[in-house]
Amino acid sequence: MKNEQFVLANRPKGTPDDNTFRLEEISKKDPSDNEVMIKPLYISVDPYMRGRMSDAESYVAPFEVDQPLHGHVVGEVLASKAEGFAEGDYVVGIMPWQRYITITTDNIQKVQDANVPLHLYLSTLGMTGQTAYHGLLKIGQPQSGETVVVSAASGAVGSVVGQIAKIKGAKVVGIAGGKEKVAYLKDTLGFDAAVDYKSDDFEKSLEEAVPNGVDVYFENVGGKISDAVFKHLNTFSRIPVCGTISNYNDVEQDVGPRIQPILIKNQALMQGFVVGNYSNDFQEAGQTLAEWVKDGKIHTEVSVEEGFENLPKAFNNLFEGKNLGKQVVKI
Amino acid sequence: MKNEQFVLANRPKGTPDDNTFRLEEISKKDPSDNEVMIKPLYISVDPYMRGRMSDAESYVAPFEVDQPLHGHVVGEVLASKAEGFAEGDYVVGIMPWQRYITITTDNIQKVQDANVPLHLYLSTLGMTGQTAYHGLLKIGQPQSGETVVVSAASGAVGSVVGQIAKIKGAKVVGIAGGKEKVAYLKDTLGFDAAVDYKSDDFEKSLEEAVPNGVDVYFENVGGKISDAVFKHLNTFSRIPVCGTISNYNDVEQDVGPRIQPILIKNQALMQGFVVGNYSNDFQEAGQTLAEWVKDGKIHTEVSVEEGFENLPKAFNNLFEGKNLGKQVVKI
């Protein structure tokens, strides 16, 4: 049976397109000692991967041109020559975008519980759930009765941020694009309010949604949407800075009001983070998240594209606001 | 003997000028019960007062038009009807800009030690010293061997920030305007390097001064100077945001590269503060600062304008970069 992989053909300038990705035929490789062969069931696409497509210095090494893209994968072990892994095991980890993946087991692990939808290990029980958990609780530190605003609120991270904030007793306001997403946040996820940034009266709707100001702003988008939120910050507010998806594809530098006067006025804290900063606490957080999922306190929406060949399309969905919840590709 | 006061005649648009301040003759008032009459010896002018001249919402109430300006004063008690205060006592506190000040003792206190230059209670042993101490140590948390950059480094706050950072074993780089100030930072205060932001090769000089990057940036100026520093932030760097004097007189909003991508890339923390946040620790900090002054570890430069009538001129010196160290008016 043939094998295929997606490589980074060219570093994108602006939005990734057909020139960015190249599908290549490669050979299947039987596992050597300490290796397993994995068939991916779901492959994750995540906004941070856009940064790896550029060669700018960042917190994670750039992808190499003509080499396979990598991302989180949940899959089934087809063959194993590695201790502790057997045929039929379900595993998760960062792996190359290949139809058949033969790798050492250094960076993969068995899923904790195979009796849940396996794509959860790419979302709420995986990296994006951990991101939401640590960014919100360690930096945002929402208190009962406080107002938490989250942008990209219907996305994989934002939707979990809002639901954890609700568990902690906060009033939660989500910002998302379009009526469908706004309805989803209020009706399905139980947010106290949701605001459509694509609406002409976005700024007014936002103001009405936060009559007591903003104590925690979980930053996923950057740009003008966030500028609008900053006008409502309370004294001693906290801003975990997780991402700025609004400008990942920008060629020009993102320019706007400088933040320093706002931080002084509100004695506010703003902190950038990546989930890896909290790896010592992954296990504990994973158990808590799994309990919340089991108890129905966290609902996970998943947007599925079918077929390995649709990985580039699924990736671009992230920047076009097409996904609701976690975007994955089902293989 | 006549009494006089400076009132806020008009809220300034842009740089304060002759229309901003008005000198008025008023009557001297003998103290009533619980009041003292104080003759100011030194009156402090501080950048934060510019904010109080506007009516924008802020962390401190605006001055009122046609009412006296207020600021820190160190003075001598001429007459007292308040318990615990006697003629000849030296006191410090926030008081109106008047030649003879009759007030209750709620917001004033006796100086800890009258055997030091009394203007120190307006600088290193007063508000600006406390500002430097808490902002640097509580938010910046410099570690031995780290690189600390401070802007407005020859000013009242910046000069103390740099010297405390040296005490803590950090490598200290100051940013200031002009050759005289740069020489002062290196030769008198013992900074490891100093960079002239007015120089054509500012960005290059800055880069050369921080070969190991920036672990703490103590923000006093905002604007393009700080944008240049942000390019050199290290992972897990900390940015106490104390002031943005470069734009206090701006009429237009200050615009520049948005900070969020920089904070994510470096997992950096940025926190606005005002010194009042740390009032519980003022006494302990004051004792430590007094010891450092006594031991010659903190040198305090003071720029003196002579005469009550020169308060407006002294205030504007702050924004014209004319002061070296703490700007005061000697009455």
Side-chain angles (χ1 to χ4, degrees):
Chain A
M1 200 172 187
K2 73 169 183 175
N3 197 4
E4 286 181 317
Q5 68 180 7
F6 272 108
V7 301
L8 180 64
N10 298 284
R11 300 198 183 282
K13 297 201 195 311
T15 306
D17 59 19
D18 290 348
N19 293 319
T20 306
F21 305 93
R22 185 174 66 239
L23 191 59
E24 285 186 348
E25 194 162 327
I26 55 170
S27 52
K28 264 173 76 172
K29 177 181 175 301
D30 288 327
S32 306
D33 285 351
N34 300 315
E35 287 186 336
V36 290
M37 182 193 282
I38 295 164
K39 179 178 163 46
L41 302 173
Y42 295 96
I43 298 181
S44 181
V45 290
D46 294 281
Y48 84 91
M49 301 173 75
R50 177 64 184 81
R52 299 194 68 183
M53 294 178 186
S54 301
D55 55 6
E57 194 196 336
S58 179
Y59 59 87
V60 54
F63 292 128
E64 288 180 43
V65 172
D66 294 331
Q67 295 295 313
L69 296 150
H70 285 69
H72 281 84
V73 170
V74 62
E76 181 179 355
V77 174
L78 296 183
S80 174
K81 284 200 170 178
E83 202 181 315
F85 290 83
E87 193 184 326
D89 282 349
Y90 294 109
V91 294
V92 62
I94 293 182
M95 306 184 207
W97 281 11
Q98 296 171 338
R99 286 186 183 273
Y100 296 92
I101 303 162
T102 301
I103 50 169
T104 65
T105 56
D106 297 342
N107 294 310
I108 66 171
Q109 48 192 316
K110 285 195 269 191
V111 305
Q112 289 180 298
D113 177 358
N115 292 317
V116 299
L118 289 173
H119 56 69
L120 284 179
Y121 291 104
L122 302 181
S123 58
T124 306
L125 302 183
M127 185 192 68
T128 57
Q130 293 277 352
T131 300
Y133 184 97
H134 298 288
L136 179 67
L137 298 181
K138 305 279 172 61
I139 301 173
Q141 301 186 24
Q143 307 299 307
S144 182
E146 287 192 329
T147 299
V148 173
V149 174
V150 55
S151 50
S154 68
V157 173
S159 59
V160 177
V161 165
Q163 292 177 91
I164 296 176
K166 286 298 296 177
I167 292 169
K168 297 296 178 183
K171 177 181 170 181
V172 176
V173 178
I175 300 174
K179 288 180 182 173
E180 186 201 1
K181 289 181 177 176
V182 163
Y184 165 73
L185 293 174
K186 287 195 285 196
D187 301 340
T188 305
L189 299 190
F191 283 23
D192 298 278
V195 181
D196 179 2
Y197 73 81
K198 291 179 176 173
S199 154
D200 287 340
D201 64 356
F202 163 60
E203 296 220 9
K204 185 162 165 286
S205 303
L206 176 64
E207 183 173 1
E208 289 169 0
V210 294
N212 299 320
V214 176
D215 299 295
V216 178
Y217 173 52
F218 195 101
E219 168 68 291
N220 281 320
V221 299
K224 289 184 180 178
I225 296 171
S226 297
D227 294 342
V229 178
F230 295 151
K231 292 178 185 167
H232 303 288
L233 291 177
N234 286 335
T235 304
F236 300 125
S237 47
R238 291 82 66 194
I239 309 166
V241 184
C242 176
T244 60
I245 195 168
S246 72
N247 59 47
Y248 286 175
N249 286 327
D250 285 0
V251 177
E252 300 286 315
Q253 192 171 38
D254 185 34
V255 166
R258 289 195 179 88
I259 197 76
Q260 291 98 316
I262 295 167
L263 297 183
I264 295 174
K265 176 185 162 194
N266 300 296
Q267 297 126 66
L269 179 150
M270 197 169 188
Q271 187 171 357
F273 74 100
V274 297
V275 66
N277 300 156
Y278 302 100
S279 55
N280 289 341
D281 299 334
F282 279 179
Q283 196 170 4
E284 184 189 330
Q287 287 167 353
T288 304
L289 287 162
E291 277 171 34
W292 286 336
V293 167
K294 206 173 61 183
D295 295 348
K297 291 181 177 168
I298 295 188
H299 171 88
T300 304
E301 198 73 29
V302 64
S303 288
V304 179
E305 292 282 350
E306 302 260 352
F308 184 81
E309 64 281 7
N310 284 320
L311 273 162
K313 180 179 176 220
F315 182 72
N316 278 339
N317 284 350
L318 299 171
F319 302 95
E320 292 162 7
K322 287 187 176 167
N323 58 304
L324 187 64
K326 175 63 189 169
Q327 178 73 59
V328 299
V329 175
K330 186 174 182 183
I331 310 300
Chain B
M1 201 171 182
K2 73 170 185 177
N3 196 3
E4 286 183 318
Q5 68 180 6
F6 271 107
V7 301
L8 180 65
N10 297 284
R11 298 199 185 282
K13 297 200 196 311
T15 306
D17 59 19
D18 290 348
N19 292 318
T20 307
F21 305 93
R22 186 175 65 241
L23 190 61
E24 286 185 347
E25 194 163 326
I26 56 170
S27 53
K28 266 174 75 172
K29 177 181 176 299
D30 287 328
S32 305
D33 285 350
N34 301 315
E35 288 186 335
V36 290
M37 182 194 282
I38 294 163
K39 178 177 164 43
L41 301 172
Y42 294 96
I43 298 181
S44 181
V45 289
D46 294 281
Y48 83 90
M49 301 173 76
R50 178 62 184 82
R52 298 194 69 183
M53 294 178 187
S54 302
D55 56 5
E57 195 196 335
S58 178
Y59 58 86
V60 56
F63 292 125
E64 289 180 44
V65 173
D66 294 331
Q67 294 295 314
L69 297 149
H70 285 69
H72 280 84
V73 170
V74 62
E76 182 179 354
V77 174
L78 296 183
S80 173
K81 284 199 169 182
E83 201 181 316
F85 290 83
E87 193 185 327
D89 281 349
Y90 293 109
V91 294
V92 62
I94 292 183
M95 307 184 205
W97 281 10
Q98 296 170 339
R99 286 187 183 271
Y100 295 92
I101 304 162
T102 300
I103 50 169
T104 65
T105 56
D106 297 344
N107 293 311
I108 65 171
Q109 49 192 318
K110 285 195 269 192
V111 304
Q112 288 181 298
D113 177 357
N115 292 316
V116 298
L118 289 172
H119 56 69
L120 284 179
Y121 291 103
L122 302 181
S123 59
T124 306
L125 302 183
M127 186 192 69
T128 57
Q130 293 276 350
T131 300
Y133 184 98
H134 298 289
L136 179 67
L137 298 181
K138 305 279 172 61
I139 302 172
Q141 301 184 24
Q143 307 299 307
S144 182
E146 287 192 329
T147 299
V148 174
V149 174
V150 55
S151 50
S154 67
V157 173
S159 59
V160 177
V161 165
Q163 292 177 90
I164 296 176
K166 285 297 296 178
I167 291 169
K168 296 296 179 183
K171 177 181 169 181
V172 176
V173 178
I175 300 174
K179 288 181 183 173
E180 185 202 2
K181 289 179 177 176
V182 163
Y184 164 73
L185 294 174
K186 288 195 285 194
D187 301 339
T188 304
L189 299 190
F191 283 23
D192 297 280
V195 182
D196 180 2
Y197 73 81
K198 292 180 175 171
S199 154
D200 287 339
D201 64 355
F202 163 60
E203 297 220 9
K204 187 164 164 284
S205 302
L206 176 65
E207 184 173 0
E208 288 170 359
V210 295
N212 299 319
V214 176
D215 300 295
V216 178
Y217 173 52
F218 195 102
E219 169 69 291
N220 282 320
V221 299
K224 289 184 179 178
I225 296 171
S226 297
D227 294 341
V229 177
F230 296 151
K231 293 178 184 165
H232 303 288
L233 291 177
N234 286 335
T235 304
F236 300 124
S237 47
R238 291 84 66 195
I239 308 167
V241 184
C242 177
T244 60
I245 195 168
S246 73
N247 58 47
Y248 286 174
N249 287 327
D250 285 0
V251 178
E252 301 286 315
Q253 193 171 40
D254 185 36
V255 166
R258 288 194 179 88
I259 197 76
Q260 292 98 316
I262 295 168
L263 297 182
I264 296 173
K265 176 185 162 195
N266 300 295
Q267 296 126 67
L269 179 151
M270 198 168 185
Q271 188 171 356
F273 74 100
V274 296
V275 65
N277 300 157
Y278 302 99
S279 55
N280 289 340
D281 299 333
F282 279 178
Q283 196 170 4
E284 185 189 328
Q287 287 167 354
T288 304
L289 287 163
E291 277 171 35
W292 285 336
V293 168
K294 206 173 61 182
D295 296 347
K297 289 180 178 170
I298 295 189
H299 171 88
T300 304
E301 197 75 28
V302 63
S303 289
V304 180
E305 293 282 351
E306 302 261 352
F308 185 80
E309 65 279 9
N310 284 319
L311 273 163
K313 180 181 177 219
F315 182 72
N316 277 339
N317 283 350
L318 299 170
F319 302 96
E320 292 162 7
K322 287 188 177 167
N323 59 305
L324 186 65
K326 175 61 188 168
Q327 178 73 58
V328 299
V329 175
K330 186 174 181 182
I331 310 301

